[in-house]
Amino acid sequence: MYLNRGNKATKTGFGEGVLEAARKNPQVVGIGADITASVGMNLFADQFPDRFFSLGIAEQNCVGVACGLAMTDNIPVFSTYAVFAALRAADQIRVSLCYNNLHVVIGGAHAGISVGPDGATHQALEDIAIMRVLPNMTVLSPCDATQARIMTIQAINQCTAPVYIRFGREPVPDFTNDSVPVEIGKARLMNPGNDLTIIATGHMVWEALAAAEILKEKGVGARVINMHTIKPLDQDIIIQSAGETGRIITVEEHQMTGGLGGAVAEVLSQQHPVPLQIIGMPDHFGESGKPAELLEKYGLSAQKIAESTTHFLISR
Amino acid sequence: MIFHKCDRTEELKVIAAEIRRQVILSLAEAGSGHLGGSLDLADIFAVLWFHTLQHDPHNPHWEERDRLILSIGHVAPVLYASLALSGYFPVEELATLRKLGSRLQGHPGKDHGLPGLEASTGSLGQGLSLSVGLALGAKISHKECKTFCILGDGELQEGSVWEAAMSAAHHQLGNLVAVVDRNGVQIDGTTSHVMKLEPLADKWKAFGWQVVECDGHDHQALMEALCPAREPHQQPKVIIARTVMGKGVASIEGDYRWHGRAPSKEEAEKFLEELQHVSQ
Ligand SMILES: [Mg+2]
């Protein structure tokens, strides 16, 4: 149904987006915390060395300096691993960035369990929860490299306040069509279906679509929604789907608490209660392994999502 | 009453006394807040706002203005008093400090729209990073303006301050001046008891900064110290200003217990009297 044009990491899409925006917008400056290539910033840094500032392995300072640069009419992009961006520098993001309501784009690389062999320390599974509770913050979680590129450009050119954009390490199917406009805050219906709705984010959108194919063979029509914006959350599509399909499953490479599932639960419980199942990490750290092995083990592969869905449909 | 810029110590002395008076009055009115540090910074703020800083109270967003970041947001009263006495907003508004709906938040909050306030601050260890970004921004856009950052001495225990210090020297920010309010005390007691900072000047030197130590209550020395580092080194500069917590009110001078306290109305009256004796 969706064609994989070839596997490509979402961090690469982010890096291409920064470069493309910077070519047209001289306000764009970059901040580096040593892992420039690893977080997709090398394209920009190579092309615009005068606008790229290396600050070393010092994430708290990186956020503060980015804020100061934003106060002097620049649009800073600071990318590092999501565990460091969202957790090490969380207080700087809260006070210096969000309370001052400055336009800085924070890239959270190596998000999710699909980081693989590096293990738990480097697999960000808590960043959505932390970033989405901060006032003024926009939280993006694109599903593939194409969407990452487009949303990065939007974060730079259209947003005027703090943005956190989350992306992964592993090359994953690049399948979205860039001729269909992506709109921040407007989730996208990826697959029609009326038996239940699977709301997925990031890499899990592809897995959810593959799960829908498996379910289709069993006669189950699973609606699939790509929730590429965690905040502001598209409440309308959640409520509409709850009404039309009666059951909702969320899938994310994140802790089951506080992430996409938590955000959807907040909407459903207050506005349109229907049975909800949250698929994610069950209050547990990640571990080393191949990305595919880890997705399988933690119930995040297409096959496992399809199985969970089947159980969910016969329960309650 | 509004004061204009000057370069005579006699005038700065009058201004500093008025800043102290407004600090005491506003804190007494608020009923909570940080008196000790707000008082000991009055001389530094008098020199900054009425001598050193290039700024225009009628045009707070003037692009070429010097920036001041109050990293120790808890001494907001001394900043608010300085801004009001410069003419950014009516002095009467100081009485709204810490009250619901006020533009004078307990720690500076930019979202409340106070003219002349550059940034929300208050979580210690963050202001120098903001200042590095501002100074870097000025440098890459070839602006002449300077950035000043007010740090507490206890605050220097935050590791992020030293991340920022390292980066300021690395990026050769000769347009950046940090001021350390070296009053030697913090909430739990003396800095040497809570967490030793000495040899403090050596630390800054080792991080690549030009260091000037001076008496933080000597207006002449402050006027000389607060100019940015000299070319061609493009080094950031730090002034370690030796101050006495509660300076100006003899009965509380040096008493760390006044770090986080506001005077009652009765205490305020007594303090204002003590203040008058000093300024006469
Ligand atoms: Mg102190």
Side-chain angles (χ1 to χ4, degrees):
Chain A
M1 194 188 48
Y2 283 91
L3 175 72
N4 175 12
R5 295 184 296 272
N7 282 12
K8 187 171 178 180
T10 44
K11 74 168 178 193
T12 308
F14 166 79
E16 289 171 356
V18 176
L19 178 63
E20 197 174 322
R23 283 206 170 111
K24 292 184 188 136
N25 188 342
Q27 284 177 289
V28 178
V29 295
I31 304 274
D34 195 39
I35 43 179
T36 306
S38 182
V39 297
M41 285 293 283
N42 51 317
L43 296 175
F44 172 83
D46 293 346
Q47 203 73 35
F48 298 101
D50 294 347
R51 285 153 63 183
F52 182 77
F53 304 102
S54 169
L55 293 177
I57 308 168
E59 295 79 10
Q60 299 173 68
N61 187 47
C62 287
V63 170
V65 172
C67 293
L69 284 165
M71 288 160 68
T72 45
D73 241 7
N74 299 286
I75 302 173
V77 180
F78 166 50
S79 182
T80 185
Y81 296 156
V83 281
F84 309 134
L87 284 95
R88 175 74 68 101
D91 188 31
Q92 277 77 5
I93 291 180
R94 176 176 179 265
V95 178
S96 289
L97 178 55
C98 290
Y99 191 31
N100 280 307
N101 200 13
L102 297 164
H103 185 199
V104 173
V105 177
I106 307 257
H110 279 42
I113 189 116
S114 59
V115 166
D118 279 344
T121 56
H122 283 55
Q123 296 161 343
L125 297 169
E126 303 82 10
D127 56 320
I128 293 177
I130 292 165
M131 290 297 105
R132 82 178 180 91
V133 294
L134 296 170
N136 297 332
M137 182 64 99
T138 291
V139 181
L140 307 178
S141 173
C143 69
D144 70 355
T146 296
Q147 195 161 78
R149 175 174 57 77
I150 294 169
M151 297 196 88
T152 300
I153 295 168
Q154 292 178 341
I156 292 169
N157 287 337
Q158 290 174 17
C159 294
T160 55
V163 183
Y164 177 78
I165 180 163
R166 173 185 217 248
F167 43 84
R169 172 183 197 266
E170 183 70 3
V172 292
D174 188 30
F175 63 98
T176 58
N177 187 343
D178 63 0
S179 66
V180 184
V182 182
E183 196 182 330
I184 290 174
K186 274 266 173 262
R188 182 175 287 180
L189 175 67
M190 303 295 286
N191 188 57
N194 289 314
D195 295 328
L196 91 167
T197 302
I198 305 175
I199 302 176
T201 195
H203 294 172
M204 292 298 101
V205 174
W206 177 262
E207 298 297 328
L209 287 168
E213 289 297 307
I214 297 169
L215 290 163
K216 194 174 165 187
E217 286 166 22
K218 294 179 180 171
V220 175
R223 181 177 297 188
V224 178
I225 289 169
N226 171 12
M227 195 61 81
H228 52 62
T229 307
I230 307 291
K231 187 184 174 188
L233 191 67
D234 186 346
Q235 305 199 7
D236 293 347
I237 201 168
I238 297 170
I239 294 163
Q240 189 191 342
S241 298
E244 290 171 2
T245 72
R247 282 173 191 254
I248 289 187
I249 291 189
T250 61
V251 197
E252 63 200 300
E253 284 193 75
H254 188 275
Q255 298 292 349
M256 288 166 64
T257 46
L260 170 68
V264 169
E266 288 158 18
V267 174
L268 292 177
S269 60
Q270 295 178 81
Q271 301 190 51
H272 196 121
V274 296
L276 167 70
Q277 179 165 340
I278 296 171
I279 299 179
M281 283 298 276
D283 195 20
H284 201 285
F285 281 106
E287 62 180 301
S288 292
K290 288 182 187 145
E293 293 170 342
L294 292 166
L295 293 186
E296 190 70 14
K297 174 167 179 177
Y298 289 100
L300 297 165
S301 64
Q303 187 60 45
K304 292 285 184 185
I305 295 167
E307 286 170 21
S308 296
T309 306
T310 309
H311 290 144
F312 182 49
L313 277 171
I314 56 176
S315 70
R316 283 188 273 193
Chain B
M1 117 223 37
I2 285 173
F3 293 99
H4 296 287
K5 290 189 70 175
C6 62
D7 49 17
R8 292 177 47 236
T9 54
E10 296 79 11
E11 288 173 73
L12 288 169
K13 194 177 163 191
V14 172
I15 294 169
E18 186 57 28
I19 291 174
R20 287 193 166 94
R21 207 173 74 86
Q22 295 297 343
V23 162
I24 293 168
L25 287 170
S26 61
L27 279 167
E29 189 62 38
S32 68
H34 300 74
L35 179 65
S38 302
L39 284 177
D40 79 48
L41 278 162
D43 297 301
I44 291 165
F45 272 62
V47 174
L48 278 169
W49 287 96
F50 299 92
H51 171 265
T52 306
L53 288 176
Q54 298 293 314
H55 68 113
D56 180 2
H58 303 294
N59 186 9
H61 300 293
W62 177 40
E63 262 196 48
E64 307 291 327
R65 73 191 183 279
D66 291 340
R67 267 71 166 180
L68 182 138
I69 296 295
L70 187 65
S71 193
I72 36 174
H74 58 270
V75 295
V78 72
L79 175 63
Y80 298 154
S82 305
L83 289 173
L85 293 171
S86 296
Y88 281 92
F89 56 86
V91 172
E92 297 73 51
E93 194 172 342
L94 292 172
T96 69
L97 174 67
R98 287 177 167 249
K99 292 187 175 155
L100 187 65
S102 173
R103 300 195 288 182
L104 281 59
Q105 293 290 294
H107 292 78
K110 205 168 156 47
D111 55 337
H112 291 260
L114 189 70
L117 177 66
E118 295 290 350
S120 308
T121 52
S123 176
L124 297 181
Q126 300 194 19
L128 192 58
S129 297
L130 285 178
S131 306
V132 168
L134 285 166
L136 188 57
K139 184 177 174 172
I140 60 176
S141 57
H142 309 288
K143 291 214 164 69
E144 291 296 311
C145 55
K146 297 171 286 293
T147 302
F148 293 81
C149 180
I150 311 296
L151 298 160
D153 52 1
E155 178 184 24
L156 303 182
Q157 292 153 2
E158 290 278 8
S160 55
V161 174
W162 301 98
E163 294 183 4
M166 209 185 307
S167 67
H170 179 88
H171 288 285
Q172 302 187 304
L173 301 178
N175 55 357
L176 174 63
V177 179
V179 180
V180 175
D181 178 20
R182 185 73 173 114
N183 56 21
V185 290
Q186 56 193 113
I187 294 180
D188 272 4
T190 62
T191 53
S192 56
H193 168 73
V194 178
M195 181 51 66
K196 260 202 303 249
L197 295 168
E198 296 298 341
L200 188 55
D202 291 343
K203 285 191 173 76
W204 285 98
K205 279 177 201 153
F207 274 76
W209 287 58
Q210 184 184 328
V211 183
V212 175
E213 295 182 83
C214 81
D215 179 345
H217 304 299
D218 179 336
H219 297 156
Q220 189 61 46
L222 286 168
M223 280 193 279
E224 287 159 23
L226 283 167
C227 60
R230 283 176 305 279
E231 302 268 5
H233 306 293
Q234 289 299 316
Q235 264 184 310
K237 181 178 187 179
V238 59
I239 290 120
I240 300 175
R242 288 183 305 273
T243 57
V244 176
M245 176 162 279
K247 179 73 178 180
V249 177
S251 61
I252 67 164
E253 278 185 8
D255 185 349
Y256 70 83
R257 287 171 303 178
W258 280 94
H259 168 96
R261 271 190 65 191
S264 66
K265 294 270 165 74
E266 297 73 39
E267 284 170 325
E269 261 178 55
K270 184 170 152 283
F271 293 174
L272 289 173
E273 269 176 44
E274 288 185 48
L275 199 57
Q276 269 194 329
H277 288 301
V278 178
S279 50
Q280 270 161 12

